[in-house]
Amino acid sequence: MRLFTAVLPPPAAAEELALLVARLRRMPGADGLRWTGRPGWHYTLAFMGEVDEALLPELAERLARAAHRTSAFPLRVHGGGRFGRRALWAGAAGGLDDMRLLAERCDAAARRAGVPMDEHRRYQAHLTIARGRTDHTDLRPFVAELERFEGARWEVGELALVRSNLPVSGVPGEAPRYETIATWPLGGPRPDGG
């Protein structure tokens, strides 16, 4: 199974983002991008790649502990950027330190469960909204629009384990399908009440 852990935006945040994406899709050059749909919107915490099913019970136990040790935290979709000339993403604001900590705990949980993980790198919260069909699409106007975006605040209260089902039809532009296979509540409200 191809797995990753994620924070999933609630319906209200997804709706706000959908309105922004609808505007972006009307901009010149938008046809040079493959836009992700709502089912694919998530903030990846730790990407695990192919995971042997035999590791799932211990992985689930360790992820549950990681979630329990992490307090709920505020988040909102905010700003955005690009990775090179190929990926356009929406950013996040709010409890980013808490989100980084949760990402590190997910990475450690996967390693301890025996999942071979890529080299650890600094976490950057991003939600991919489009990918360039080529390197020739100028993403700068889209980034300028994203940078002005500020979504409403919500409380991140759970950790999700998501399965990525890669396209099998061979149809050009087909997107992966995502399936949430488990969720765990975060440990509770922040000690400072915020």
Side-chain angles (χ1 to χ4, degrees):
M1 281 188 227
R2 194 172 162 84
L3 300 176
F4 61 89
T5 54
V7 166
L8 305 176
E15 182 59 32
E16 284 181 329
L17 185 57
L19 294 172
L20 171 65
V21 168
R23 283 198 324 265
L24 295 174
R25 290 182 77 153
R26 291 190 296 269
M27 291 176 59
D31 57 348
L33 298 169
R34 285 189 325 263
W35 296 89
T36 60
R38 272 191 213 204
W41 290 348
H42 56 267
Y43 289 99
T44 301
L45 296 170
F47 180 75
M48 296 169 216
E50 292 295 331
V51 176
D52 188 315
E53 279 193 59
L55 298 178
L56 278 181
E58 185 174 355
L59 176 62
E61 183 179 314
R62 291 182 179 278
L63 289 173
R65 274 191 291 217
H68 180 74
R69 291 175 46 218
T70 307
S71 296
F73 56 91
L75 200 70
R76 62 188 165 93
V77 181
H78 172 76
R82 62 186 169 111
F83 293 129
R85 297 184 67 92
R86 294 300 291 258
L88 187 64
W89 49 267
L96 294 181
D97 288 340
D98 297 304
M99 197 162 168
R100 268 188 214 99
L101 178 61
L102 183 56
E104 289 169 8
R105 287 177 172 163
C106 289
D107 184 271
R111 289 176 193 280
R112 290 186 182 121
V115 177
M117 299 291 286
D118 287 339
E119 183 180 324
H120 186 72
R121 59 183 165 224
R122 182 162 170 77
Y123 179 74
Q124 179 174 351
H126 68 281
L127 185 156
T128 302
I129 58 172
R131 289 182 179 82
R133 297 179 193 279
T134 68
D135 286 338
H136 304 297
T137 303
D138 183 2
L139 299 179
R140 291 174 299 182
F142 299 97
V143 171
E145 281 296 310
L146 281 165
E147 286 174 343
R148 293 192 282 271
F149 182 74
E150 292 191 32
R153 178 186 181 275
W154 83 86
E155 192 80 3
V156 176
E158 69 179 17
L159 168 65
L161 180 62
V162 181
R163 179 179 185 170
S164 174
N165 299 294
L166 295 176
V168 293
S169 72
V171 174
E174 183 184 7
R177 287 180 300 102
Y178 300 103
E179 169 189 3
T180 301
I181 60 173
T183 59
W184 299 275
L186 297 187
R190 295 170 52 88
D192 61 9

